[in-house]
Amino acid sequence: MINLLMNCFYMILLFIIFFFLSIFLNLMNLSYMWEWMLFNFNGMNVEYFILIDWISSVFISVVMLISSAIMLYSMIYMKDEIYLSRFTWLLNLFIMSMILMIISPNLISILFGWDGLGLVSYCLVIYYQNYLSYNSGMVTILCNRIGDIGLLMVIGIMCMIGSWKMYFLNNNYLFILIMIFLASITKSAQIPFSVWLPMAMAAPTPVSSLVHSSTLVTAGVYLMIRFSKFFMSTSVINILLYCSILTMFMSGLMANFENDFKKVIALSTLSQLGLMMMILSLGMGLLSFFHLLTHAIFKSLLFMCAGIMIHLMNNNQDIRFSGNLNEYIPFTMMSFYICNLSLVGFPFLSGFYSKDLIMEMIYMMKMNLFLGGMSLLSLSFTLSYSLRLFYLIFFCQAKGLSFYYYKENMLMNFSMLILMILSLFEGSVMMWLFFFDNYFLFMEVFVKLITFVMLILGMVMFIMFMKNFLNLYFFSFFFSSMWFLNYMYFWNYKFYLIYGMSLSKFDNSWVEFMGKNFLLDIFKNMKIYMNMYKIFMFIFINLIYVVMLYFLI
């Protein structure tokens, strides 16, 4: 317990230092870079870089503030945990890995923080050590390893250039950019790698609050923001636009059918990540970073409120059984109400400044009508699932469960109070300090009213979903199952898994002792797998993705 308190104190101190440092660097237009040569290999310098500019400083300050609030929250939430010191060490390692990634502009130095995030996130997801946690942890780390392989391939291929510095790249190295793009979309859970994010909810709630607000899922967005200038002249950025808008649409629609409390919030995170990637792919990385900062505050508070509500409901996460909770935990419900309004983009809360600016920039662009419509529908879905969550928790009667005795704790309330105040004022403070000079728009009234019309449509959708307008079993099952992406992985991976198991016999004995039995085993396993239905599904799914990539490029 004392370790958590000391960590909280040091993190608040670091938050103050880095926040004022970011203001200074922004006003003076300064940045500092340190370089250490670790060793020289075959004419190449393996160097470790540290870049301190206002972007990295303000991001570190936000991570430190959220981490300090979560440490205070965990002192009460995890007080009955036997291995509390292990939990504290894992959180510290996770925060340290994120900071290493934030301050690293070089691919070699990025790898230290990048792999640390993947490994420690796996340890945190399987923290409760049950069947669900192990499954979720394996899906999380395997999806993230796909992106890590992309980063490792970039490091290997850039040996041809003679340096791992990104500014030596030119437009001829399209494959390198594709691999960096792959690393970014796996870590930020864009389509088709969106499966792992809702499954990672098996972690403890303080971990979910940290991982899905400002650290792991934003690492991919931050990497793309840093390297966005290299992508703008290539066709990779068009693929990112399609992936991000599809992710926004899918996660927003799925959240309207989901009943697990933490999964609804995870899907809202996925929707906001799609929004960040969308505006980034349109050439406004700084605006994407602005939304990343505002989203981190209210999303961490949203998870904190969810943890208290789950405890009150006797560890039940089904929102259909909850209701009328404002009579039992008024401060928590007030915090939940404010951060939910900030998520929707209610005027003059923190989420409004970034979301409204993003939508206005989209209206000013020459965007495809279909993509523009999808992004506007995703905006309506955000209001729809937020109203649904709010209605079920506030105004419905609790069903089927007796309330667990719970009394609000002052320390937890204090940690939430900090984030609640920031959810009110952070957007305006960040706007005036860092972003006001970059974006100032003037548009006609009827264009400005498009957002208002889409919000009214979101209210209509909320009524339709509550009235079970799509009450057909197939629709509900399809919309709430991540569009069968997990089955796509199963069909695609099964052939390679069987083939890999056959090839693993190389490791068990020498090749010459295997003889023809090795080939016979391969053909026998392939014969078991290759019936007509599975061949058709395997070819059909891969063909769809190949055709999509061809037309997008």
Side-chain angles (χ1 to χ4, degrees), residues 19 22 58 60 95 116 125 193 200 205 222 240 246 260 295 304 313 453 470 475 495 507 543:
F19 183 69
S22 64
V58 73
I60 290 174
I95 295 162
V125 170
F193 304 106
T205 301
Y222 185 77
L240 179 61
L246 278 175
D260 190 311
H295 168 262
M304 286 183 180
M313 295 302 298
V453 171
L470 294 175
F475 280 112
F495 170 74
D507 296 331
L543 187 62

Side-chain angles (χ1 to χ4, degrees), residues 190 221 248 251 267-277 291 295 298-299 343-344 355 378 382 385:
Q190 303 297 301
V221 182
M248 283 175 60
S251 55
L267 289 166
S268 75
T269 302
L270 193 55
S271 176
Q272 301 305 307
L273 288 171
L275 184 64
M276 295 174 207
M277 283 292 198
H291 189 57
H295 168 262
F298 61 74
K299 189 50 63 73
L343 169 67
V344 172
K355 286 190 77 172
S378 305
T382 303
Y385 66 71

Side-chain angles (χ1 to χ4, degrees), residues 320-427:
R320 292 171 296 183
F321 291 113
S322 62
N324 213 13
L325 297 184
N326 51 316
E327 295 182 6
Y328 303 94
I329 41 174
F331 181 81
T332 304
M333 297 311 292
M334 182 179 68
S335 306
F336 179 80
Y337 182 51
I338 290 172
C339 59
N340 210 2
L341 285 177
S342 186
L343 169 67
V344 172
F346 191 81
F348 309 115
L349 296 184
S350 64
F352 165 76
Y353 289 91
S354 55
K355 286 190 77 172
D356 191 63
L357 200 53
I358 287 172
M359 297 313 295
E360 287 178 359
M361 294 301 295
I362 290 173
Y363 301 151
M364 301 285 282
M365 290 182 173
K366 294 180 181 178
M367 186 187 277
N368 185 337
L369 185 61
F370 173 72
L371 296 180
M374 291 273 281
S375 60
L376 288 172
L377 268 177
S378 305
L379 183 71
S380 302
F381 287 146
T382 303
L383 180 64
S384 175
Y385 66 71
S386 299
L387 284 175
R388 175 174 176 262
L389 189 61
F390 179 70
Y391 175 77
L392 289 173
I393 291 170
F394 267 74
F395 298 110
C396 288
Q397 293 294 324
K399 309 173 195 64
L401 283 175
S402 60
F403 281 102
Y404 182 72
Y405 176 74
Y406 188 84
K407 186 179 180 181
E408 287 187 321
N409 186 276
M410 291 297 293
L411 195 60
M412 294 176 85
N413 285 356
F414 179 71
S415 66
M416 292 162 61
L417 179 64
I418 300 169
L419 296 178
M420 186 181 72
I421 293 171
L422 284 172
S423 296
L424 291 170
F425 300 113
E426 188 221 4

